[in-house]
Amino acid sequence: SGSGHKFGESICGTGWVVFRQREGLASHVATTVTYLGGSSDSLTLNFSRPASGPYVQFYKLLRLGQEGYMNKVENQMGVTSYLRQFLSNLKHPSGKPRFQILDGGDTCCLPVVAARLNPELDLHYDDIDFQHGLSESHWYVSGYSLGFENPMNEKFENLCNDVNEATTMFRIVVKSNLTRTLAENLAGNIEKILSVLDDLDAGYESIHSRLAGLAVKDEEDISMSMEELREFSDSIGELPSRGLNKSQFIQQSFRKKKQKRSSILAQNIC
């Protein structure tokens, strides 16, 4: 199985499942239905689905062909290998590796890097904090918790037997638009954010601005006066209406502050 929009150049919502033999296709997936006066096999998880995904995918298969897809995947695997090697070689000031690689390596693997911060380092931040830190540079790398809430007992439990429920990880999906130049930019930003996170005793949360912290508090918990808030907002731009209460003022000011940040690079990694 695979993602058609990540690796097939199709649109979101397109995916592939390939069965070697008809016998391997479960009966609840492959169903025969009576439709428009005849019988039709439905091989989708939902019978009624838009046809745009398969149409785009079929066009790309015809347009690029086997050679085109081979060249595309070889390029993706090369960029993936670069990022994997970069993460593998990165060292903590203690001399230990920064990351633990979790994927299958450069062969027999999708163009995806799966890793986690080295648990031996006993860091005060995790992969989710790392994800948020990278987003400040407009790089969006998906972080995941390896725990889940069990609906049977409503307890938060470990997803895998060899890790506890607090374990986290991240992945980088290398699509065809992630070039080597962009990958080098990502690598540089990874080094920068790790240096920042290392200097924060309380983890990533401590670099949130005071304004961001106040924005989520109730009015009665806000200790700053309105004049102090207006002084703090001077660097943000035009002040909001004086008719706003404290909470509304803070939230609007925080939004304006975020909007004024300059964007150096916007690259989305699913």
Side-chain angles (χ1 to χ4, degrees):
S1 64
S3 171
H5 88 269
K6 291 186 180 73
F7 309 120
E9 306 298 305
S10 186
I11 61 176
C12 289
T14 308
W16 321 318
V17 181
V18 180
F19 296 89
R20 290 181 181 274
Q21 312 238 342
R22 175 80 184 199
E23 290 75 16
L25 193 57
S27 58
H28 67 276
V29 175
T31 58
T32 300
V33 296
T34 302
Y35 188 62
L36 297 178
S39 295
S40 175
D41 285 342
S42 173
L43 305 180
T44 59
L45 298 179
N46 295 297
F47 180 62
S48 296
R49 296 285 296 168
S52 52
Y55 273 125
V56 172
Q57 184 65 87
F58 189 56
Y59 166 77
K60 291 294 181 70
L61 290 172
L62 293 176
R63 179 70 176 82
L64 297 176
Q66 183 175 354
E67 183 178 356
Y69 272 98
M70 286 180 64
N71 292 336
K72 182 185 80 72
V73 172
E74 285 177 3
N75 180 67
Q76 290 174 263
M77 294 298 287
V79 175
T80 304
S81 179
Y82 164 77
L83 288 172
R84 185 180 293 111
Q85 197 65 37
F86 166 78
L87 295 177
S88 299
N89 294 337
L90 212 54
K91 301 294 183 182
H92 186 262
S94 65
K96 295 181 179 180
R98 280 277 194 183
F99 296 99
Q100 182 181 60
I101 304 300
L102 303 177
D103 59 53
D106 293 337
T107 59
C108 302
C109 183
L110 291 171
V112 177
V113 180
R116 64 172 175 169
L117 292 163
N118 187 354
E120 295 181 5
L121 298 176
D122 194 26
L123 300 169
H124 54 260
Y125 55 90
D126 61 17
D127 299 282
I128 307 301
D129 298 323
F130 175 63
Q131 165 195 283
H132 292 323
L134 275 177
S135 69
E136 296 294 321
S137 301
H138 302 279
W139 281 102
Y140 303 98
V141 173
S142 301
Y144 301 94
S145 168
L146 295 183
F148 75 107
E149 184 176 350
N150 190 333
M152 303 299 293
N153 55 24
E154 298 184 350
K155 293 182 179 179
F156 196 72
E157 300 179 354
N158 53 314
L159 188 63
C160 305
N161 292 330
D162 56 344
V163 295
N164 61 43
E165 64 276 7
T167 304
T168 58
M169 62 164 290
F170 68 92
R171 68 169 185 173
I172 303 173
V173 177
V174 179
K175 297 190 286 187
S176 58
N177 60 344
L178 180 57
T179 64
R180 174 62 180 264
T181 301
L182 288 175
E184 290 173 354
N185 181 279
L186 171 59
N189 279 286
I190 288 175
E191 288 190 289
K192 290 177 183 177
I193 193 57
L194 287 172
S195 177
V196 172
L197 291 173
D198 284 342
D199 292 337
L200 298 174
D201 293 336
Y204 178 77
E205 289 184 358
S206 64
I207 71 172
H208 289 180
S209 68
R210 186 180 182 189
L211 192 60
L214 288 173
V216 297
K217 292 184 178 180
D218 294 330
E219 274 190 64
E220 58 269 26
D221 294 330
I222 298 174
S223 58
M224 296 175 70
S225 68
M226 288 301 293
E227 289 305 316
E228 288 174 323
L229 290 173
R230 293 184 187 282
E231 290 176 6
F232 189 82
S233 181
D234 284 344
S235 62
I236 298 171
E238 182 182 354
L239 294 178
S241 168
R242 290 181 177 270
L244 298 176
N245 60 38
K246 287 184 179 180
S247 179
Q248 292 171 326
F249 176 88
I250 291 167
Q251 293 182 45
Q252 184 166 334
S253 297
F254 179 59
R255 285 195 295 270
K256 285 192 175 185
K257 182 180 178 183
K258 289 184 69 176
Q259 290 168 358
K260 287 181 70 90
R261 291 177 180 171
S262 60
S263 298
I264 299 175
L265 176 67
Q267 170 68 31
N268 191 358
I269 302 180
C270 297

